Amino acid sequence: QAQLVESGGGSVQAGGSLNLSCAYRYGGDFLGWFRQAPGEEREGVAVMYIGSGSTIYADSVKGRFTISQDNAKKTLYLQMNSLKPEDTAMYYCAAVSMQTLSVRFVNYWGQGTQVTVSS
């Protein structure tokens, strides 16, 4: 079982920043962020191995987004900088069974938080 609660979404202009948070209750090793734009398939953004801190990112967000976590607070973060209109999507925190961006390996989903980037 897992409990994942996202917060921090909102509307921002292109070039701006947002920091998403996910308060989690999960005993597994991998947590990540996924997103789904209207009319598009859900896709992986970033996944972290909680034990070591190792991370993987989608090519589209490398250098702009940073996934991190505060183990004491049991909170996962996604710092998003240099946002683009194409980053507009519902962002989901997810518990994953391995370090992959594939949605096939997601075991649990949060409820999502909307991010809207205007040009």
Side-chain angles (χ1 to χ4, degrees):
Q1 292 289 338
Q3 186 174 24
L4 307 166
V5 180
E6 304 97 331
S7 61
S11 297
V12 65
Q13 289 193 327
S17 298
L18 283 173
N19 190 27
L20 306 183
S21 299
C22 172
Y24 66 85
R25 183 181 300 170
Y26 179 61
D29 293 325
F30 303 97
L31 289 168
W33 292 96
F34 292 71
R35 68 185 181 185
Q36 187 167 20
E40 302 289 333
E41 293 186 353
R42 198 168 295 190
E43 63 177 3
V45 175
V47 172
M48 169 177 275
Y49 177 31
I50 299 301
S52 69
S54 69
T55 58
I56 58 172
Y57 294 91
D59 288 343
S60 60
V61 306
K62 281 181 182 176
R64 300 188 299 122
F65 291 10
T66 302
I67 187 172
S68 63
Q69 63 106 14
D70 185 328
N71 193 46
K73 295 182 179 179
K74 298 299 184 187
T75 302
L76 185 75
Y77 302 99
L78 185 68
Q79 176 66 43
M80 304 185 295
N81 298 327
S82 302
L83 282 161
K84 304 175 181 180
E86 51 263 44
D87 294 317
T88 295
M90 184 72 77
Y91 283 72
Y92 298 90
C93 182
V96 194
S97 60
M98 59 185 296
Q99 195 164 25
T100 174
L101 297 174
S102 173
V103 299
R104 296 190 296 120
F105 295 92
V106 173
N107 295 325
Y108 302 98
W109 295 100
Q111 83 286 354
T113 185
Q114 179 67 39
V115 171
T116 302
V117 185
S118 58
S119 57

